[in-house]
Amino acid sequence: MRSMKHRTLTGLGVLALTAGGFAAVSGHSAAQAADRNGKCEKGEFCYNFNSDLKGAWSDFTSSVGDYGTTQPSCYDFKGKAKGHGKCIKNDAGGFWNKTNKPVTIYFNSGYAGRSVTVKPGAKGKLPAAVYNNNASHRIGKGGGGGHNPAPSGKWASPVPSSAVITARAYYSSGRYHGAVDYSGFNGKFRSACNGTIDSIAINRTYANRNAYGVTGSTNYLWVNCGGGIRMGYAHWYAKDLPSSLKRGTKVKAGQNLVNVGNQGNSSGQHLHFQVERSGKQIDGHDFLQSKGVKGLPRE
């Protein structure tokens, strides 16, 4: 991930993990791909691009608190009908609830703002309150709706507010990055959610040194936040990993994790912060903003 600056920056580390480097840690499972096939099937809640339900479909088996707003990281309409490929946020005209539970559709991300609840089996044009203003949905009263545990509801900034954003989902060149890079700070980065460490990947060849330009050389720590949300932290040195942090360790939002580093495919000290929702990369900074997190670095 090579960081392209959003604003003039001198003497701050910037990153270099290529898009190809994400392949090993991201992507849909076969089951998830079947869930998102552009067909509204039994057990799913679906949006349609058109109010008459003749457009492209976007189908879900679980609740989603943030649809995303840009390709390729957003939830989109599938198939070949009108609207296919468009991000669904604030662009759905119709719906079909083929689950056996009520579904609440929200005006804002994070299950917030005005909302409308539709009964099992209901279909048609989205109610006026959320017509072309759909930003999240919750299946059932508890909102889980799928095989993932419900989110903890507690989030935090992974870095000090004084940190600088040096890259987002796309570099200024237009090349896909798939994460947020935070530079300009020292010390430990923090867990951005309550969750459980489910993966620690250390590249033994470059565990404690830089490998700029070498794809797949970067150390990663992943936290499962529940509700399909996973958060990845990269470029720390293996020597700085506390012995208390291992697979299965529970962490709390705001808890210190590892010292920020310049390990692996990186061109300067920074945190590569990667967030996935149901296996699909989303903008982590936008996600935390949607959760009302305070103390995030400003653009």
Side-chain angles (χ1 to χ4, degrees):
M1 28 174 142
R2 188 176 60 220
S3 172
M4 307 301 289
K5 302 176 182 63
H6 273 225
R7 52 185 170 181
T8 303
L9 186 63
T10 304
L12 296 179
V14 290
L15 47 76
L17 190 74
T18 64
F22 297 118
V25 296
S26 176
H28 296 292
S29 67
Q32 289 166 340
D35 291 343
R36 301 275 301 142
N37 61 7
K39 299 178 182 179
C40 195
E41 300 171 321
K42 183 178 180 180
E44 295 182 328
F45 169 69
C46 313
Y47 285 120
N48 196 279
F49 183 72
N50 290 342
S51 58
D52 61 5
L53 308 186
K54 294 183 179 180
W57 287 100
S58 187
D59 52 308
F60 300 89
T61 58
S62 61
S63 304
V64 175
D66 185 359
Y67 300 138
T69 57
T70 57
Q71 287 286 19
S73 59
C74 69
Y75 281 94
D76 56 5
F77 292 102
K78 305 290 186 181
K80 298 181 180 180
K82 185 177 180 180
H84 70 92
K86 290 182 176 291
C87 297
I88 68 170
K89 186 173 183 177
N90 299 333
D91 214 6
F95 76 98
W96 194 345
N97 182 7
K98 299 189 79 171
T99 75
N100 60 358
K101 301 177 181 179
V103 175
T104 303
I105 305 162
Y106 294 86
F107 185 84
N108 292 333
S109 296
Y111 314 119
R114 64 175 182 259
S115 64
V116 173
T117 299
V118 295
K119 297 179 179 180
K123 65 177 179 178
K125 181 179 179 179
L126 278 173
V130 291
Y131 180 80
N132 287 159
N133 282 301
N134 54 300
S136 57
H137 72 268
R138 189 188 297 276
I139 298 177
K141 294 180 179 180
H147 62 277
N148 293 309
S152 67
K154 293 186 178 180
W155 315 90
S157 174
V159 296
S161 60
S162 59
V164 178
I165 299 173
T166 49
R168 297 289 287 266
Y170 287 88
Y171 296 123
S172 59
S173 64
R175 187 165 62 88
Y176 185 59
H177 174 222
V180 181
D181 290 335
Y182 296 111
S183 299
F185 72 99
N186 296 308
K188 293 184 177 182
F189 55 83
R190 303 184 292 261
S191 176
C193 73
N194 286 355
T196 304
I197 297 174
D198 66 3
S199 176
I200 296 178
I202 296 175
N203 184 292
R204 295 301 174 186
T205 304
Y206 302 101
N208 293 301
R209 61 191 176 102
N210 184 259
Y212 178 53
V214 181
T215 301
S217 61
T218 304
N219 295 338
Y220 265 95
L221 182 152
W222 285 89
V223 175
N224 189 331
C225 309
I229 301 297
R230 294 179 76 231
M231 296 182 170
Y233 308 81
H235 295 312
W236 42 270
Y237 298 111
K239 63 183 176 60
D240 291 333
L241 181 69
S243 60
S244 59
L245 298 183
K246 58 191 70 175
R247 186 176 179 182
T249 299
K250 295 185 181 301
V251 296
K252 293 184 178 296
Q255 177 180 331
N256 286 337
L257 294 179
V258 191
N259 286 331
V260 63
N262 182 29
Q263 179 275 339
N265 189 10
S266 170
S267 60
Q269 179 175 291
H270 71 283
L271 170 66
H272 173 90
F273 179 58
Q274 184 172 330
V275 178
E276 295 181 352
R277 179 184 54 207
S278 299
K280 193 172 187 178
Q281 292 167 3
I282 62 174
D283 188 297
H285 193 81
D286 285 350
F287 175 81
L288 292 176
Q289 284 184 321
S290 76
K291 298 299 183 183
V293 171
K294 305 298 183 184
L296 288 166
R298 295 183 178 181
E299 294 284 359

